[in-house]
């Protein structure tokens, strides 16, 4: 790909958008929505088309814009028991603000909108759901945007994704709302079309208030000369503020600016491949930027000055940032493949340690072989990869974050169980203590464990519901279920225990703390109590096949602890009976019950 092609994406995207069916279907729906009852003030929304695609058009209630640039925070809405957008918050952005007028309009029609939302959610659950297009002009576009955000909280994005197309819509939220969606796939659901002849998009903006409102999604800037797309929030804000409203001929007092004609003109130009190149620019990137600015009517070829040059430089920096981001995204697949290879190498390292009768935790802790150095490299790369993954998930809105947690559930759990013991080994080898309670545990391990427990709780809830159903079944169906029970998770764990990892990735930290207690001398009742707690912890793990039999290898830290502890253990002790009656052999064979 040439530099010219890399940086002409705004023009190419614009031409693609104006030739796409959904844009023209959306505008036609807005026109049709007005024609349903032309003599009355329009209803808030109408379902223009009921399937393939479903098209919902939001109207433009009159007199809703003037003097309504005020914002209301999500915290205030929550206090008023209207927390329907709270799911958009993330860990770093707990509060955002939305335009007060749009929220008031949304709130006043809440019951009707709830019925509509439930209908669209039901559509998404069908085997072949219809595409959903939600559109609106002017303040109708604001409500369409809010409704789409609300709807996204109830949809499975992997199955269906609504498309919100607005025309001449003012901005709906502040910088915090934009940041909530910055790392979200949801922002790709929004396309905002604006014309340099339409004053409405800047209704809530001025030179003094531009910092309060920030755009999100893709903006298509249109002029009689051409069009271009942008996702740069600073560029979009600046262009909305400086938009000229000098067209009176195409302005309709009820519909607002008429986008139909300009869209048709731009579609014809795009199909004819009309492209104005800037011959005098040797810099391909600068030529593409200037061409975009010409296309959207920001400047003429004679209009180069200090302000325009500053704008071009800002756009240049943004395009370079996007190119870096694209490269980063393309590298993500390579990083995923590398992570799989690193995990496979650690599996090999684990098998090698078992042959040495020491276990991979203790072999790594001692670091006496060349393979230990390689394992350190694999561990470091895996930690860097998963720290970035967890950070990415944390920056997503709450509900979308939950979707990604499920997707990474198994990979993240295996990584945590394999790699955290190595991190613990480094911690205690260097003389560290209190890994879990002293704030030494990396945050991403904590979060991965929390997500795992949340999934486990959901699974347990499902199992309980299944048991209730089973109790109501007939005797023969119960017998079938008993046969089925042989394939339970516990049986699977027994059969595969020989190659398993410890369920608790902090198992070895608990072993190390128990060893430190013995080393310091068991002089108080509190020390004895802690050792008894650890003994019970190990016994419960054994009953649930939750530890690897590698802990019983003769050179392991656990056996070092046990060989010291068995001399002071008080009877009766289930763990003592287990160890004295060939329990480890039965456990490894999956015959311990």
């Amino acid at each position: 790909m040439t530099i010219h092609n890399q940086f002409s994406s705004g023009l190419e995207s614009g031409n693609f958008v104006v030739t796409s069916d959904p844009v023209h279907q959306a505008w036609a729906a807005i026109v049709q929505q007005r024609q349903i009852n032309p003599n009355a003030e329009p209803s808030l929304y109408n379902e223009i088309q009921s399937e393939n695609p479903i098209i919902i058009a939001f109207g433009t209630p009159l007199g809703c814009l003037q003097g309504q640039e005020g914002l209301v925070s999500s915290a205030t809405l929550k206090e008023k028991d209207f927390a329907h957008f709270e799911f958009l918050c993330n860990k770093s952005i707990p509060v955002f603000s939305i335009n007060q007028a749009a929220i008031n309009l949304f709130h006043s029609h809440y019951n009707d909108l709830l019925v509509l939302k439930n209908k669209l959610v039901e559509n998404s659950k069908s085997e072949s759901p219809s595409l959903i297009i939600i559109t609106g002009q002017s303040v109708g576009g604001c409500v369409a945007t809010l409704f789409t955000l609300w709807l996204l909280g109830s949809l499975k994005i992997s199955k269906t994704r609504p498309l919100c197309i607005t025309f001449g819509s003012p901005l709906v939220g502040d910088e915090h709302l934009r940041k909530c969606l910055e790392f979200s796939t949801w922002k790709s659901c929004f396309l905002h079309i604006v014309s340099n002849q339409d004053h409405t998009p800047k209704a809530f903006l001025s030179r003094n208030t531009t910092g309060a409102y920030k755009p999100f999604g893709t903006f298509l800037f249109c002029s009689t000369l051409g069009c271009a797309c942008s996702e740069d929030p600073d560029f979009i804000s600046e262009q909305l503020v400086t938009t000229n409203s000098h067209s009176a001929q195409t302005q309709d007092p009820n519909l607002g600016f008429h986008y139909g004609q300009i869209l048709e003109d731009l579609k014809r130009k795009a199909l004819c491949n009309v492209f104005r190149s800037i011959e005098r620019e040797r810099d391909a990137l600068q030529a593409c930027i200037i061409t975009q600015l010409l296309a959207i009517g920001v400047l003429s070829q004679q209009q180069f000055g200090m302000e325009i040059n500053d704008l071009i430089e800002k756009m240049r920096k943004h395009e370079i940032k996007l190119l870096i981001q694209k490269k980063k995204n393309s590298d993500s697949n390579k990083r995923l493949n590398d992570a799989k290879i690193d995990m496979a190498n650690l599996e090999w390292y684990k098998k090698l340690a078992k042959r040495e009768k020491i276990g991979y935790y203790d072999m790594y802790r001692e670091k006496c072989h060349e393979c230990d150095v390689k394992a350190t490299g694999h561990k470091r790369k895996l930690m860097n990869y998963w720290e970035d993954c967890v950070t990415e998930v944390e920056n997503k809105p709450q509900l979308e974050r939950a979707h990604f947690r499920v997707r990474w559930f198994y990979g993240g759990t295996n990584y945590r169980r394999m790699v955290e013991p190595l991190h613990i080994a480094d911690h205690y080898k260097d003389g560290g203590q209190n890994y879990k309670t002293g704030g030494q545990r990396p945050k991403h391990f904590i979060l991965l464990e929390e997500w795992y427990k949340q999934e486990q709780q959901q699974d347990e809830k499902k199992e309980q519901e299944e048991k209730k159903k089973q109790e109501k079944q007939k005797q023969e169906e119960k017998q079938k279920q008993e046969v089925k029970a042989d394939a339970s998770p516990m049986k699977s764990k027994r059969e595969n225990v020989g190659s398993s990892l410890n369920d608790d990735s902090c198992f070895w930290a608990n072993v190390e703390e128990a060893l430190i207690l013995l080393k310091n001398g068991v002089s108080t009742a509190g020390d004895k109590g802690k050792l008894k707690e650890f003994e019970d912890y190990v016994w419960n793990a054994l009953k649930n096949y939750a530890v690897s039999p590698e802990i019983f290898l003769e050179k392991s830290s656990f056996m070092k602890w046990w060989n010291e502890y068995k001399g002071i253990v008080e009877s009766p002790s289930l763990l003592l009976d287990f160890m004295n009656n060939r329990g480890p052999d039965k456990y490894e064979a999956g015959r311990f019950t």
Side-chain angles (χ1 to χ4, degrees):
M1 179 182 288
T2 65
I3 292 177
H4 181 279
N5 284 335
Q6 288 174 355
F7 292 105
S8 62
S9 58
L11 288 168
E12 292 173 352
S13 298
N15 287 335
F16 172 78
V17 167
V18 296
T19 57
S20 66
D21 289 339
V23 167
H24 295 272
Q25 289 174 324
W27 178 253
I30 289 174
V31 174
Q32 186 176 343
Q33 200 259 358
R34 284 286 184 173
Q35 293 173 345
I36 291 174
N37 192 352
N39 297 322
E41 184 174 339
S43 59
L44 183 63
Y45 74 87
N46 288 100
E47 183 176 347
I48 304 301
Q49 191 166 303
S50 59
E51 60 181 356
N52 295 322
I54 296 172
I55 303 179
I56 309 297
F58 282 82
T60 308
L62 304 179
C64 289
L65 294 178
Q66 291 208 342
Q68 298 292 331
E69 66 274 4
L71 289 159
V72 59
S73 76
S74 57
T76 301
L77 293 175
K78 188 176 182 180
E79 290 173 0
K80 295 180 178 180
D81 199 26
F82 198 76
H84 301 294
F85 299 95
E86 198 69 17
F87 68 90
L88 295 170
C89 296
N90 58 42
K91 292 284 186 180
S92 57
I93 311 291
V95 178
F96 56 85
S97 296
I98 302 176
N99 174 257
Q100 179 75 66
I103 278 290
N104 289 344
L105 194 56
F106 187 95
H107 186 272
S108 64
H109 293 79
Y110 173 76
N111 291 333
D112 292 336
L113 293 175
L114 180 60
V115 172
L116 175 62
K117 187 187 88 159
N118 291 339
K119 179 180 179 180
L120 296 179
V121 170
E122 284 302 312
N123 162 74
S124 71
K125 294 178 181 178
S126 63
E127 291 185 4
S128 54
S130 297
L131 170 68
I132 301 170
I133 297 176
I134 300 167
T135 188
Q137 185 178 11
S138 184
V139 74
C142 293
V143 183
T145 299
L146 291 180
F147 177 78
T148 304
L149 285 172
W150 188 38
L151 177 64
L152 283 167
S154 301
L155 296 180
K156 289 186 176 180
I157 297 297
S158 58
K159 191 171 183 181
T160 182
R161 180 174 297 188
L163 178 60
C164 177
I165 304 174
T166 70
F167 298 86
S169 172
L171 304 183
V172 299
D174 66 352
E175 171 71 355
H176 295 299
L177 178 60
R178 184 195 72 79
K179 285 187 175 180
C180 285
L181 297 165
E182 183 175 11
F183 298 101
S184 169
T185 56
W186 290 347
K187 69 178 181 181
S188 64
C189 298
F190 297 89
L191 172 64
H192 307 288
I193 301 174
V194 297
S195 167
N196 68 332
Q197 300 175 67
D198 185 3
H199 68 278
T200 311
K202 65 174 185 178
F204 303 149
L205 297 174
S206 69
R207 287 292 187 185
N208 297 324
T209 63
T210 182
Y213 284 87
K214 285 293 181 181
F216 62 86
T218 301
F219 275 69
L220 175 69
F221 288 95
C222 302
S223 79
T224 55
L225 299 173
C227 61
C229 285
S230 178
E231 294 181 1
D232 178 2
D234 294 327
F235 172 76
I236 294 168
S237 297
E238 187 169 344
Q239 293 314 301
L240 291 178
V241 171
T242 57
T243 295
N244 295 319
S245 55
H246 54 266
S247 173
Q249 295 180 354
T250 56
Q251 190 83 22
D252 186 290
N254 293 321
L255 275 175
F257 181 78
H258 198 288
Y259 281 85
Q261 188 59 53
I262 195 170
L263 287 174
E264 287 298 328
D265 291 344
L266 291 174
K267 181 178 180 180
R268 283 194 293 271
K269 287 182 179 181
L271 293 175
C272 294
N273 197 26
V274 176
F275 183 85
R276 298 182 61 182
S277 61
I278 309 300
E279 300 293 344
R280 62 192 177 124
E281 290 294 339
R282 295 181 180 180
D283 185 331
L285 168 56
Q286 185 150 323
C288 287
I289 291 172
I290 293 173
T291 305
Q292 287 187 43
L293 294 177
L294 285 168
I296 64 177
V298 172
L299 61 111
S300 66
Q301 295 202 35
Q302 293 78 34
Q303 203 177 9
F304 288 87
M306 184 68 71
E307 187 175 343
I308 291 299
N309 288 333
D310 288 344
L311 176 60
I312 291 171
E313 184 58 28
K314 287 180 183 178
M315 292 182 68
R316 174 197 289 275
K317 290 179 180 178
H318 176 71
E319 292 287 359
I320 292 174
K321 181 181 176 182
L322 284 179
L323 183 62
I324 294 171
Q325 184 62 43
K326 286 179 181 178
K327 186 178 185 303
K328 182 180 178 182
N329 291 340
S330 65
D331 289 344
S332 64
N333 288 334
K334 182 180 183 302
R335 290 189 71 195
L336 175 60
N337 290 331
D338 289 345
K340 292 177 180 179
I341 294 171
D342 288 324
M343 282 292 287
N345 281 315
L346 288 182
E347 288 283 358
W348 172 86
Y349 178 76
K350 182 174 179 287
K351 291 178 181 178
L352 177 64
K354 186 176 181 180
R355 288 200 297 268
E356 297 292 326
K357 299 185 183 302
I358 187 172
Y360 86 110
Y361 172 80
D362 288 281
M363 189 162 96
Y364 183 84
R365 195 180 191 282
E366 294 183 4
K367 291 187 179 175
C368 298
H369 304 85
E370 182 181 349
C371 60
D372 302 325
V373 178
K374 293 181 179 179
T376 301
H378 299 313
K379 169 202 168 230
R380 184 179 63 253
K381 287 193 291 182
L382 282 165
M383 286 188 67
N384 289 338
Y385 173 75
W386 278 100
E387 282 174 351
D388 290 345
C389 288
V390 171
T391 299
E392 180 184 343
V393 172
E394 281 294 282
N395 285 329
K396 294 181 180 295
Q398 292 174 12
L399 287 179
E400 194 176 8
R401 190 161 72 235
H403 166 72
F404 276 82
R405 290 205 306 257
V406 172
R407 195 179 76 177
W408 287 345
F409 174 68
Y410 294 106
T413 299
N414 287 335
Y415 154 75
R416 176 174 57 84
R417 290 173 175 173
M418 174 66 80
V419 175
E420 188 168 15
L422 305 184
H423 190 69
I424 291 169
D426 282 333
H427 176 77
Y428 285 96
K429 181 179 176 62
D430 295 337
Q433 295 185 24
N434 302 320
Y435 175 78
K436 292 175 67 176
T437 60
Q440 303 299 314
R441 192 182 186 195
K443 180 182 177 182
H444 78 288
F445 284 134
I446 296 172
L447 291 173
L448 285 171
E449 184 173 15
E450 286 179 0
W451 298 346
Y452 170 77
K453 289 179 178 178
Q454 289 170 7
E455 289 301 314
Q456 288 291 97
Q457 289 173 356
Q458 291 182 12
D459 289 343
E460 288 173 4
K461 186 177 178 181
K462 290 178 182 177
E463 286 179 9
Q464 290 173 357
E465 292 174 353
E466 186 63 28
K467 285 180 180 178
K468 289 180 180 179
K469 291 180 181 179
Q470 291 173 8
E471 290 172 359
K472 297 178 181 179
Q473 291 177 343
K474 295 180 181 180
Q475 184 62 36
E476 59 269 19
E477 290 185 354
K478 286 184 179 180
Q479 291 173 353
K480 290 179 184 178
Q481 189 60 39
E482 287 169 7
V483 172
K484 215 182 261 189
D486 290 338
S488 65
M490 182 57 73
K491 183 189 178 190
S492 177
K493 293 185 79 170
R494 287 200 305 268
E495 291 176 346
N496 298 294
V497 69
S499 59
S500 67
L501 295 163
N502 297 330
D503 282 8
D504 182 1
S505 56
C506 288
F507 175 84
W508 291 109
N510 295 327
V511 172
E512 294 282 3
E513 293 299 325
L515 279 168
I516 291 171
L517 280 173
L518 291 175
K519 181 180 178 181
N520 293 338
V522 184
S523 56
T524 67
D527 292 340
K528 291 181 180 179
K530 289 179 181 178
L531 285 170
K532 184 65 172 67
E533 284 179 13
F534 177 66
E535 179 189 341
D536 293 340
Y537 160 79
V538 173
W539 177 248
N540 287 326
L542 290 170
K543 287 195 300 182
N544 291 291
Y545 277 88
V547 289
S548 168
E550 289 182 12
I551 69 171
F552 302 121
L553 293 172
E554 62 184 71
K555 299 178 186 178
S556 78
S557 293
F558 175 79
M559 290 306 296
K560 180 181 177 181
W561 169 81
W562 173 251
N563 289 330
E564 292 185 42
Y565 180 67
K566 67 182 180 181
I568 62 172
V569 64
E570 297 179 355
S571 297
S573 168
L574 294 172
L575 183 60
L576 180 63
D577 293 341
F578 172 85
M579 297 298 290
N580 289 339
N581 291 288
R582 299 181 59 83
D585 294 336
K586 296 176 182 177
Y587 184 84
E588 185 170 12
R591 292 185 284 105
F592 167 67
T593 56

